[in-house]
Amino acid sequence: MSWVDTADGTPADSTRAGALRPGAAGPGTLSGVPRQRGGSALPAPAAEAPLADAPLVEVPPRDAPPAEVPTAGRPDPRPVAARRLMARRLRAWQVRPWRLLPTPTGTPFTFGYALLLTATSLFADHADPVLVDQLLRGSSTDIVHLAQAPLLVLCASALWIAGGLTSGFAIAFLFTLTALERRIGALRTAAVFFCGHALATLATELPVGFTVAAGGLPDSSLVRLDYGISFGVMTCLGALAGVLPAWCRWPLLGFGFQQAVTGLIAYTDPMTDWGHLLSLSLGVAAWPALRRWHAARGGPPAQPSQISIPSLWSAAARKNARSSS
């Protein structure tokens, strides 16, 4: 039998024997077309892993929002902000009794003013009574002295404590002005104190002068002994209530109102007691400015329980507008 080559140079015997060259198609098949009859078997696919070993993948619902993926290397800011808020609240609730008293660096105005009042009170207790009486009468804010030197007597009358260092207004001065100065600063506390002292003094003394001029009171009413820090302390008490939480604000305001009304009922010195009530009202009227000052010094913003009457009115107006729309 002769040796016959095929068209592509392969011996016929090799073709009949079914020997194939690497990469060549089998007999009766086309190269590059899979799954042909009589063709070479395809490699079996890899065995699938059992279902028990396959990881479970949670498929989100179709309408669920996409999950937020935090930026690599940058922590999620929400837990950090929550921890900072909790730490700030814990610091606010810490009991620090030494902050109730004035210090030279923390509350310079209250500390210096307290030293000055202590010195004048000790002088009034141990100096010559005649000299002390002359100084007190020269510092009195009656109509005669207000007409002669109003600025001098308004400042001089605030250098004395009526009743001495053991009086209730001396103790209230120490704690009230310390708490207020720590929240709004020294200069603003001094402004609140002296504005309340001056305005309440003028509001109680000027009607006396007009009444004497109209003939309703005798001329002896123009000269009276009127000095002390009570008007300024009551103004700071009303102002302090505006920058405190609600659970502390209303009891403090009620205490000041009760003190003023009790004096009016006793009717021992009605003009001074009316001045106390007016001073407390002046402190309450300063709440909007005090809250802005408190927020400017880094204090917490006003909470829903600290909303004033205009804010309630605005909230009611917004609610009515939403219901009508």
Side-chain angles (χ1 to χ4, degrees), residues 7 281 283 300:
S281 303

Side-chain angles (χ1 to χ4, degrees), residues 207-237:
V208 174
F210 293 146
T211 306
V212 171
L217 290 174
D219 295 341
S220 59
S221 301
L222 298 176
V223 180
R224 60 188 300 268
L225 196 60
D226 187 13
Y227 65 92
I229 60 171
S230 60
F231 290 170
V233 171
M234 291 296 286
T235 304
C236 291
L237 184 69

